[in-house]
């Protein structure tokens, strides 16, 4: 390939490279190792290879995509669209040819190894006080001598029998009311919504006679990378079903600032991202109702938690102000609106949605939901709560004070920006162990319970084989390399001679560690490269620096306990996180996972009006720390680049995992590793 050949970038995998002009997208995906499915072998029959081509400026990738970057729609695509239908903007990868630089998004349904969105709902006791409840009333029959409307008589019955003030009825409900009353012999059950106890009630639906329900609600965690929804029974609080999808906005930028830049540089870009995420929310609601085998009409409420950029885009607000100081929010208060306004058109047409309040310009409703779930304001000891993701939310607090900030960790923890990285999908390495004596690795992959050195592993993994390494896998791999003496404190990988391991192979001017060679030449070799180490160092340094800033503001050098939250945080080993220096030094038994705490907070708010009032009050008391303008952030960031840290000795870590004091820097003997005296955590 030459520099004049078109550059193609596939998202969300991040695979990129140059291909000859005229190369079909499907063939380019195979050449570059991008994940694009095809069953019919490129004949334009199966439609498994559908892609969404981008257009306009993509500053993150350094390309501008012209309108004619792909060949025009051909007869095969037109025939398929006429007979079976293509979503707007979709192309068949086997038919569309690459003519110039382009960005191609592979939607989840076209990915051979589909994302496993690991955002399960935690079981959590909630005092049930939902905003929507079922009430049965007996309504007076119409009387020609005392004319009044059915709605007015229904309101009179609600006031007399339930002491409910006059309720409003949206048009879809009003259209069903008369039939319901007459079919029920003037007895009717209504779904009554009252977001606040002093708010005007709304009728969301009516059923003839007695209707036992149950009603359901959706607790939605809208993340930068993934969207998770938990279908919840509004009478018991039980989670009926959970589902997740990739956030389609990834094709506009993997991190938040890339999406803000896209909105700034592309007219209509914000509206484009809003439409994409609302369509995903609608599809997710439809799919979860189908999975639970309930009528979509029974879903009458939703709560939404998200970071500030996702919040603005979901609400249809341009996020450009969040890309520059002073990071002004359009609103930080909780927002109540029709669920249909968020794209939730596949549920009850009168359903309502509640968006939790934001804490600050870069500390969102997801952090507020974590605070609601973990309640640091009730803690006697000092708790550090870290919601690990593309944009990390960090909370530090106890009964005396609660602080919060966000830190831009980027997508490396999700497996992006890693040479063999991929999303969490079957075949991805998720657990790693390296023998400190032999330097030999063993690992587990998603979808297989066996370790790689156990009998039957290859058969259990199946034809798909080992395909890459996901976020939890790369964290464990880097930490294991540090514990095995393959990696020094500065993050340098040693040579084969320095480490006495043939798995440390030359990779240009640096070295890489061969984790998996593959059973044959056609299978991908999976290595941890020096570039991968640097990506993890940058991500973990941002995380630690944010936590350290909050500790500075609190006036402490140590915390009492650490809580790892988020879908990804639930899969992080506390030991490996400590070895990397992702979190401050504490006894390992004082580190726990809270699972998807943001999703749990969303569910608590869905089930309890009192919880909504509590978090609305608490966010006003949380002290916000803006990392972007704090001068000490850079100092903490630089010190945290070392593994685990340049100056903090990590005494608790040393008690359980003393780290080899190796040095593979320029001054080290190229033939043998150089050991410093002693063996501390640095």
């Amino acid at each position: 390939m030459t520099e004049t050949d078109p550059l193609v970038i596939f998202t969300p995998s991040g695979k990129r490279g140059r291909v000859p002009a005229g190369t079909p997208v499907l063939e380019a995906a195979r050449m570059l190792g991008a994940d694009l499915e095809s069953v019919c072998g490129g004949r334009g029959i199966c439609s498994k290879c559908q892609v969404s081509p981008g257009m306009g400026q993509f500053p993150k990738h350094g390309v501008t995509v012209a309108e004619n970057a792909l060949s025009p729609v051909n007869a095969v695509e037109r025939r398929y669209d006429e007979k079976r239908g293509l979503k707007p903007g979709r192309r068949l990868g086997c038919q569309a040819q690459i003519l110039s630089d382009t960005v191609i998004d592979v939607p989840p349904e076209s990915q051979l190894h589909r994302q496993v969105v690991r955002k399960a709902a935690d079981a959590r006791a909630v005092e049930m006080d939902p905003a929507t409840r079922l009430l049965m009333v007996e309504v007076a029959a119409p009387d020609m001598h005392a004319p009044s409307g059915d709605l007015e008589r229904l309101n009179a019955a609600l006031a007399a029998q339930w002491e409910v003030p006059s309720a409003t009825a949206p048009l879809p409900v009003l259209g069903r009311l008369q039939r319901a009353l007459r079919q029920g012999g003037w007895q009717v059950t209504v779904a009554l919504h009252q977001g606040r106890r002093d708010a005007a009630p709304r009728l969301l639906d009516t059923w003839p006679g007695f209707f036992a329900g149950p009603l359901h609600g959706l607790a939605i965690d809208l993340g930068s990378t993934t969207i998770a929804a938990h279908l919840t029974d509004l009478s018991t609080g039980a989670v009926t079903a959970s589902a997740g999808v990739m956030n389609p906005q990834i094709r506009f930028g993997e991190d938040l600032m890339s999406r803000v830049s896209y909105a700034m540089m592309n007219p209509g870009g914000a509206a484009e991202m809003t439409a994409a995420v609302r369509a995903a929310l609608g599809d997710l609601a439809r799919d979860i109702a189908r999975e639970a085998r309930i009528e979509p009409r029974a879903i009458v409420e939703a709560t939404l938690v998200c970071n500030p950029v996702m919040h603005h885009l979901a609400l249809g607000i341009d996020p450009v102000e969040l890309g520059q100081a002073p990071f002004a929010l359009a609103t930080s208060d909780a927002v109540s609106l029709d669920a249909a306004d968020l794209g939730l058109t596949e549920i009850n047409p009168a359903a309502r949605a509640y968006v939790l309040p934001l804490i600050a310009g870069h500390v969102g409703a997801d952090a507020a939901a974590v605070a609601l779930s973990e309640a640091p304001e009730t803690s006697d000891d000092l708790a550090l709560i870290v919601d690990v993701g593309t944009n990390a939310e960090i909370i530090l607090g106890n009964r005396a004070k609660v602080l919060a900030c966000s830190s831009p960790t980027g997508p490396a923890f999700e497996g992006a920006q890693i040479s063999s990285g991929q999303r969490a999908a079957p075949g991805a390495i998720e657990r790693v162990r390296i023998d400190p004596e032999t330097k030999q690795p063993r690992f587990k992959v998603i979808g297989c319970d066996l370790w790689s050195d156990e009998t039957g592993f290859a058969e259990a993994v199946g034809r798909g084989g080992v395909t890459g390494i996901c976020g939890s896998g790369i964290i464990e791999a880097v930490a294991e390399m540090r514990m095995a003496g393959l990696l020094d404190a500065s993050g340098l990988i040693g040579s084969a001679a320095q480490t006495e391991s043939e798995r440390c192979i030359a990779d240009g001017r640096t070295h890489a560690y061969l984790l998996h060679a593959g059973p044959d030449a056609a299978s991908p070799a999976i290595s941890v490269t020096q570039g991968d180490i640097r990506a993890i160092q940058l991500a973990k340094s941002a995380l630690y620096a944010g936590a350290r800033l909050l500790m500075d503001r609190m006036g402490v050098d140590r915390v009492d306990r650490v809580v790892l939250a988020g879908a990804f945080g639930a899969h992080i080993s506390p030991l490996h996180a400590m070895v990397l220096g992702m979190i401050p030094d504490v006894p390992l038994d004082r580190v726990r996972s809270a699972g998807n705490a943001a999703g749990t907070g969303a569910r608590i708010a869905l089930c309890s009006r009192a919880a909504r009032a509590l978090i609305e009050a608490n966010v006003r008391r949380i002290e916000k720390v803006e990392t972007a303008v704090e001068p000490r952030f850079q100092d903490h960031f630089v010190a945290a680049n070392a593994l685990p840290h340049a100056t903090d000795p990590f005494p608790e870590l040393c008690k359980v995992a003393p780290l080899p004091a190796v040095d593979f820097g320029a001054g080290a003997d190229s033939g043998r590793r150089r050991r410093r005296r002693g063996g501390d955590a640095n």
Side-chain angles (χ1 to χ4, degrees):
M1 306 304 164
T2 68
E3 290 297 312
T4 59
D5 287 320
L7 173 67
V8 57
I9 300 164
F10 287 94
T11 63
S13 68
K15 302 292 185 182
R16 59 189 291 155
R18 295 189 180 276
V19 299
T23 301
V25 171
L26 179 60
E27 184 179 337
R30 289 170 175 168
M31 292 168 60
L32 299 174
D35 206 6
L36 182 58
E37 188 171 12
S38 175
V39 173
C40 69
R43 296 180 177 86
I45 299 172
C46 71
S47 81
K48 298 290 187 181
C49 64
Q50 289 187 38
V51 295
S52 296
M55 194 180 305
Q57 297 185 51
F58 292 84
K60 178 180 178 64
H61 302 301
V63 297
T64 299
V65 180
E67 291 186 16
N68 58 352
L70 297 184
S71 59
V73 175
N74 65 16
V76 174
E77 291 176 288
R78 284 194 293 271
R79 184 172 64 251
Y80 184 89
D81 193 24
E82 291 169 1
K83 291 186 176 299
R84 300 178 63 183
L86 281 171
K87 289 185 178 181
R90 291 279 180 91
R91 297 290 303 273
L92 295 181
C94 62
Q95 302 298 313
Q97 298 178 350
I98 298 167
L99 304 180
S100 62
D101 294 354
T102 187
V103 176
I104 302 290
D105 181 64
V106 182
E109 61 268 27
S110 298
Q111 294 171 18
L112 186 60
H113 304 96
R114 292 178 177 84
Q115 168 83 2
V116 177
V117 180
R118 304 195 283 188
K119 286 195 172 183
D122 281 358
R124 183 67 58 89
V126 181
E127 185 175 340
M128 297 300 296
D129 176 31
T132 304
R133 51 184 175 147
L134 289 172
L135 299 176
M136 182 180 174
V137 291
E138 186 166 346
V139 181
D143 184 348
M144 289 183 60
H145 301 289
S148 65
D150 287 350
L151 177 61
E152 288 69 31
R153 294 195 311 282
L154 172 61
N155 271 325
L158 285 168
Q161 298 165 35
W162 293 99
E163 298 182 351
V164 172
S166 183
T168 60
L171 192 57
V173 178
L174 199 57
R176 289 193 294 271
L177 176 59
Q178 290 194 306
R179 176 175 292 184
L181 282 168
R182 285 152 181 81
Q183 286 182 345
W186 305 106
Q187 289 185 335
V188 66
T189 302
V190 300
L192 189 81
H193 177 85
Q194 197 168 13
R196 298 173 184 270
R197 290 185 176 88
D198 58 351
R202 295 166 61 99
L203 297 176
L204 301 187
D205 212 335
T206 61
W207 293 266
F210 175 70
F211 174 68
L215 299 179
H216 287 83
L218 286 173
I220 302 172
D221 177 9
L222 171 56
S224 308
T225 304
T226 56
I227 309 172
H230 308 298
L231 184 67
T232 304
D233 186 319
L234 292 180
S235 59
T236 66
V239 176
T240 306
S242 294
V245 295
M246 298 295 292
N247 187 331
Q249 292 179 348
I250 288 175
R251 67 176 181 265
F252 305 104
E254 289 182 329
D255 58 75
L256 297 177
M257 287 303 101
S258 294
R259 296 179 204 178
V260 173
S261 296
Y262 186 85
M264 288 178 172
M265 302 181 70
N266 294 276
E272 194 177 356
M273 288 187 281
T274 294
V277 77
R278 287 181 178 176
L281 290 173
D283 290 346
L284 184 57
R286 180 197 61 227
D287 293 345
I288 201 170
R290 187 176 297 160
E291 176 190 337
R293 298 181 178 179
I294 68 165
E295 285 293 326
R297 179 182 173 186
I299 305 175
V300 294
E301 264 205 89
T303 52
L304 181 72
V305 301
C306 46
N307 62 59
V309 173
M310 291 297 95
H311 171 277
H312 279 42
L313 288 172
L315 291 176
I317 302 169
D318 196 319
V320 293
E321 291 299 328
L322 299 177
Q324 56 198 353
F327 314 111
L329 296 162
T331 179
S332 59
D333 287 344
V335 177
S336 296
L337 69 164
D338 289 331
D341 291 339
L342 291 173
L344 296 171
T345 56
E346 302 288 337
I347 61 176
N348 193 296
R352 296 288 289 171
Y354 174 83
V355 184
L356 272 69
L358 307 177
I359 296 176
H362 282 162
V363 188
D366 46 1
V370 171
L372 179 59
S373 173
E374 292 301 309
E377 75 281 0
T378 66
S379 176
D380 291 321
D381 53 11
L382 187 60
L384 178 71
I385 306 165
V386 183
D387 191 346
V388 186
T390 305
N391 192 66
E393 282 76 35
I394 308 169
I395 299 171
L396 177 68
N398 54 20
R399 291 184 186 275
K401 183 191 291 188
V402 178
L403 309 176
C405 74
S406 69
S407 198
T409 51
F413 286 153
E414 304 277 357
Q417 298 178 345
I418 303 300
S419 60
S420 297
Q422 67 168 83
R423 307 293 180 188
I429 295 173
E430 63 170 345
R431 292 282 179 266
V432 177
R433 298 293 181 269
I434 299 175
D435 188 302
E437 297 300 324
T438 66
K439 317 300 183 189
Q440 292 297 309
R442 61 191 187 103
F443 53 81
K444 294 182 76 172
V445 300
I446 295 174
C448 178
D449 293 330
L450 298 176
W451 285 88
S452 59
D453 59 348
E454 292 184 290
T455 303
F457 172 78
E459 293 77 11
V461 170
R463 294 177 58 189
V466 182
T467 57
I469 187 165
C470 67
S472 60
I474 191 64
I475 284 177
E476 292 200 359
V478 175
E480 287 284 326
M481 289 172 66
R482 180 73 182 93
M483 290 190 287
L486 300 166
L487 188 68
D488 68 15
S490 72
L492 280 176
I493 302 173
S495 66
Q498 289 172 318
T499 62
E500 301 172 2
S501 172
E502 295 302 316
R503 285 187 172 269
C504 289
I505 57 177
D507 185 23
R509 300 180 62 183
T510 60
H511 298 91
Y513 177 74
L514 183 61
L515 192 60
H516 175 63
D520 52 58
S523 300
I526 298 171
S527 301
V528 180
T529 69
Q530 193 63 66
D532 298 339
I533 301 294
R534 293 301 182 220
I536 291 298
Q537 282 179 291
L538 292 175
K540 76 97 177 179
S541 297
L543 189 64
Y544 182 93
R548 186 67 228 190
L549 273 182
L550 297 187
M551 293 164 67
D552 289 349
R553 184 68 65 90
M554 190 71 79
V556 299
D557 291 321
R558 291 285 182 267
V559 299
D560 296 318
R561 58 186 176 93
V562 175
V563 178
L564 296 173
F568 178 59
H571 295 270
I572 297 175
S573 153
L575 172 62
H576 294 95
M578 195 79 73
V579 169
L580 290 188
M582 291 174 61
I583 55 178
D585 186 58
V586 294
L588 285 181
D589 62 1
R590 299 290 287 165
V591 182
R592 72 171 181 88
S593 169
N596 183 17
T600 300
R603 187 170 64 85
I604 292 172
L606 180 67
C607 295
S608 171
R609 290 182 295 177
R612 298 182 187 187
L614 176 65
I615 194 58
E616 288 175 20
N618 281 349
V619 294
R620 295 182 175 91
R621 292 192 284 266
I622 295 175
E623 186 177 329
K624 301 86 178 173
V625 176
E626 183 52 69
T627 57
V629 297
E630 282 286 340
R632 293 207 64 192
F633 181 83
Q634 190 64 24
D635 295 337
H636 289 313
F637 181 88
V638 171
N641 259 255
L643 302 171
H645 198 270
T647 57
D648 189 332
F650 274 63
E652 297 295 339
L653 175 63
C654 287
K655 294 177 184 177
V656 294
L659 303 180
V662 294
D663 183 357
F664 304 130
D669 185 340
S670 61
R672 299 180 63 186
R673 57 181 166 181
R674 186 177 73 182
R675 288 186 177 271
R676 297 192 300 272
R677 290 185 180 180
D680 57 26
N682 295 318

